[in-house]
Amino acid sequence: MTDSSVNTGPALVSMAQQFSGLPMRSLIGGPLNAAAQANSMMAITQTKFLLNTCFNSTQPEGKDKDGKTTLTPIMVTMQLTRGLIDETPGEGGKPGKVTVEPLQTTFELPLLTLIPLNSLAVTDVQVGFDMEVKSSYSDESSQQSSSSSHEQGSFDAKIGEGFWSVEVKGSVSHDSSSSSSNKATYQKSNNAKYTVSVTAGQLPLPEGVTTIIQAYTSNISPVTVGGTQS
Amino acid sequence: MQSQIQCPLCGGSLALNTELLLAGHSFTCANCGSCISLASGSHRTVQSAMTEFSRLKARTGEVGQAAQKAIGKG
Ligand SMILES: [Zn+2]
């Protein structure tokens, strides 16, 4: 129910007006740029880690001291166990005896392969800028009205002529009551908040690293420990 | 933390988890059934590389911190 006693308040400021003049480019671009810079610094650190931890470097000596440093991948030894089936034929038509002997071999793997370098990647940086513009108007008013009326009347009429008559009897009654209450709230607030979310995930390894890994793993040949060469 | 290698026996694809390898687990090739684990002699090498790696991984948060700092300036 609307009532003339409810104050409609001041006119609201338009949304477009609230946002105009905000330097959106620098508000969001600044933090994003800083994140990109930090990420490239991180990439350098990661490359250093890769070279220092996963490779042995050989410095040129003597005459050749101006030559290039040689990097050799650090290899780790892996153990491979497989079942060796040994079948002894049965005598006199009896079924043979089958035994499975574990055979242990070793092979070398570049340490580089075991370090999940690709999971160091920052796959996503999101800088969110939330601005909340709330304009609503506030005035509290309540109004209650109640009215009640009661009317009653009766009439009696008789119209008759001859042998027929019509009798009308009636009553009128009216009741009314009304009540209303109105509440309006006015809040004005401008909130701005940033959200920064960084997602680290898996990215494909750089081609150079993949090539090194492939070169060293495609020719893995197991060496049998204390047994026949497989 | 998965690494993919080729099974030295059958050439099949084999996924290894370095942390589990360090914990002594072995991985079985789905193709030929051979079991692969880390030889005890290489445990220390892998362990120290992984420690360094974890330190590096923890630093990925610096990217977000740099963004936060830039907000402070703005
Ligand atoms: Zn296999």
Side-chain angles (χ1 to χ4, degrees):
Chain A
M1 179 176 160
T2 51
D3 195 290
S4 57
S5 70
V6 175
N7 190 347
T8 53
L12 300 181
V13 179
S14 81
M15 283 293 160
Q17 217 177 317
Q18 299 257 21
F19 281 101
S20 66
L22 273 179
M24 288 294 182
R25 192 183 288 266
S26 64
L27 280 174
I28 299 165
L32 212 52
N33 245 340
Q37 273 171 16
N39 197 39
S40 60
M41 292 289 283
M42 191 99 60
I44 296 169
T45 317
Q46 288 169 2
T47 310
K48 277 184 187 161
F49 160 79
L50 175 80
L51 296 174
N52 295 339
T53 316
C54 301
F55 290 88
N56 278 324
S57 72
T58 321
Q59 297 288 344
E61 287 171 19
K63 267 194 261 170
D64 203 24
K65 67 175 189 290
D66 295 328
K68 288 174 184 166
T69 306
T70 313
L71 294 169
T72 321
I74 295 174
M75 304 297 277
V76 291
T77 309
M78 303 296 291
Q79 219 163 51
L80 187 145
T81 313
R82 60 174 170 148
L84 195 70
I85 301 166
D86 187 24
E87 195 173 354
T88 319
E91 283 173 25
K94 283 181 188 169
K97 197 180 162 194
V98 179
T99 52
V100 182
E101 288 288 323
L103 183 74
Q104 225 170 61
T105 58
T106 63
F107 65 96
E108 303 256 282
L109 203 60
L111 174 61
L112 194 61
T113 321
L114 292 178
I115 307 298
L117 288 163
N118 54 345
S119 66
L120 282 176
V122 169
T123 53
D124 196 32
V125 178
Q126 280 184 354
V127 177
F129 179 67
D130 283 342
M131 186 170 169
E132 189 184 59
V133 178
K134 237 196 234 170
S135 291
S136 53
Y137 150 74
S138 161
D139 200 338
E140 278 192 34
S141 78
S142 67
Q143 178 251 340
Q144 278 196 335
S145 72
S146 103
S147 67
S148 170
S149 68
H150 187 80
E151 291 164 36
Q152 202 165 25
S154 65
F155 55 93
D156 241 334
K158 244 187 194 175
I159 304 164
E161 198 180 89
F163 54 85
W164 60 271
S165 76
V166 179
E167 192 178 45
V168 181
K169 269 195 178 178
S171 78
V172 178
S173 150
H174 172 74
D175 272 302
S176 90
S177 139
S178 76
S179 141
S180 79
S181 145
N182 248 312
K183 235 184 199 180
T185 315
Y186 179 52
Q187 285 174 329
K188 193 178 174 187
S189 74
N190 289 331
N191 278 327
K193 64 172 181 191
Y194 274 103
T195 48
V196 176
S197 91
V198 176
T199 315
Q202 300 230 337
L203 281 183
L205 278 175
E207 212 173 316
V209 177
T210 316
T211 309
I212 297 168
I213 291 175
Q214 266 175 2
Y216 279 86
T217 52
S218 58
N219 290 314
I220 297 170
S221 44
V223 179
T224 307
V225 182
T228 39
Q229 180 85 27
S230 56
Chain B
M1 296 239 194
Q2 296 271 331
S3 308
Q4 207 83 19
I5 66 155
Q6 273 189 334
C7 171
L9 278 188
C10 70
S13 183
L14 188 67
L16 300 177
N17 181 307
T18 311
E19 277 157 350
L20 290 178
L21 278 175
L22 282 169
H25 287 255
S26 60
F27 292 83
T28 308
C29 171
N31 197 36
C32 70
S34 58
C35 258
I36 288 163
S37 60
L38 181 67
S40 56
S42 287
H43 193 277
R44 187 183 285 198
T45 310
V46 179
Q47 181 68 73
S48 64
M50 281 303 279
T51 307
E52 195 57 40
F53 172 80
S54 304
R55 215 172 285 157
L56 213 57
K57 199 169 164 64
R59 286 184 59 184
T60 47
E62 285 177 16
V63 173
Q65 284 158 15
Q68 290 284 5
K69 252 186 214 164
I71 293 164
K73 280 180 200 162

